[in-house]
Amino acid sequence: MNPTQSLRDDLKAVLLDESTIARRLDTLASELAALYRGKPLVVVALMNGSYVFASDLLRRLDLPLEVAFLRVFSYSGTASSGTICFHESPLPSLNGRHLLLLDDILDTGATLQAVCRHFEALAEAESIRSCVLLRKRTPRHHGALADHVGFEIEDLFVVGYGLDYCDRYRQLPVIGVLRDELI
Ligand code: IMP
Ligand code: MG
């Protein structure tokens, strides 16, 4: 019996399973390691959605780095509210260091754009790049594009691997689509 079987039963489709995600993270981590080797690096992961992605990706990165977490909200239910709220938390100094932002999914791009602008305005980091696990192919996209993307997906609301529906399903190890009657 799978430990998260009852959550999986709420999915009508699995888009990305554990091994597919793991293989892609291996490749993303090698790209990032090549890019940042020898450079002082700060990774800022956007909470809560990227906690699983950040944890699995960073454990593949054999580099000295500092990781910090920034809490950002934009979604209510299955739609982006359009307003990005930050919880200001103490972040490491970025002076003379390279910043890599991690997020779970790029939908409209508004969240990543707001966060990038925030760090650009500080004008501290040597460079700012972003890496998202998923990018939706959506006509709603108007914000930032990510520099590194794990997977392009269809314009569907997905859960699992950190992504939630009303704060549930984050611990599901796969990424999938909820059955219609649950939304
Ligand atoms: P954006 O600002 O529209 O790009 O939305 C990005 C944020 O919305 C992500 O960080 C997620 O937290 C959330 N989000 C977007 N699409 C989904 C989804 O399909 N499932 C769960 N959360 C999502
Ligand atoms: Mg998020």
Side-chain angles (χ1 to χ4, degrees):
M1 179 73 173
N2 194 302
T4 51
Q5 191 58 48
S6 73
L7 294 177
R8 278 176 203 239
D9 291 343
D10 286 353
L11 299 179
K12 67 177 175 188
V14 172
L15 297 187
L16 301 164
D17 64 17
E18 290 98 320
S19 57
T20 307
I21 297 170
R23 280 198 306 273
R24 185 69 186 117
L25 292 199
D26 289 341
T27 313
L28 273 180
S30 336
E31 275 173 37
L32 294 170
L35 195 64
Y36 289 112
R37 194 162 310 285
K39 297 181 179 166
L41 177 62
V42 176
V43 178
V44 171
L46 305 191
M47 290 291 110
N48 296 325
S50 73
Y51 84 99
V52 181
F53 173 46
S55 149
D56 281 354
L57 181 70
L58 296 183
R59 281 179 296 161
R60 289 167 160 83
L61 265 189
D62 190 16
L63 294 177
L65 59 83
E66 186 167 345
V67 61
F69 303 94
L70 178 65
R71 225 172 126 74
V72 188
F73 318 76
S74 74
Y75 253 57
S76 68
T78 63
S80 180
S81 70
T83 315
I84 316 301
C85 307
F86 282 43
H87 264 210
E88 285 293 341
S89 39
L91 289 173
S93 162
L94 297 171
N95 277 313
R97 304 164 89 190
H98 297 263
L99 172 64
L100 176 65
L101 297 168
L102 298 183
D103 203 6
D104 51 355
I105 187 164
L106 198 65
D107 182 6
T108 65
T111 304
L112 193 60
Q113 178 148 299
V115 174
C116 284
R117 287 198 176 147
H118 169 83
F119 286 109
E120 280 160 12
L122 291 179
E124 289 176 350
E126 285 290 308
S127 71
I128 302 176
R129 294 178 75 82
S130 54
C131 176
V132 296
L133 178 65
L134 306 174
R135 182 160 68 199
K136 275 191 205 180
R137 286 188 211 99
T138 165
R140 293 183 307 280
H141 189 274
H142 58 80
L145 294 165
D147 299 298
H148 304 266
V149 176
F151 301 93
E152 291 265 2
I153 62 165
E154 293 306 313
D155 191 5
L156 297 165
F157 187 81
V158 292
V159 296
Y161 205 76
L163 292 127
D164 71 303
Y165 171 58
C166 297
D167 284 310
R168 291 182 54 211
Y169 301 103
R170 291 192 197 273
Q171 83 274 35
L172 197 58
V174 300
I175 294 172
V177 182
L178 284 175
R179 297 205 324 263
D180 300 333
E181 66 272 25
L182 295 170
I183 296 188

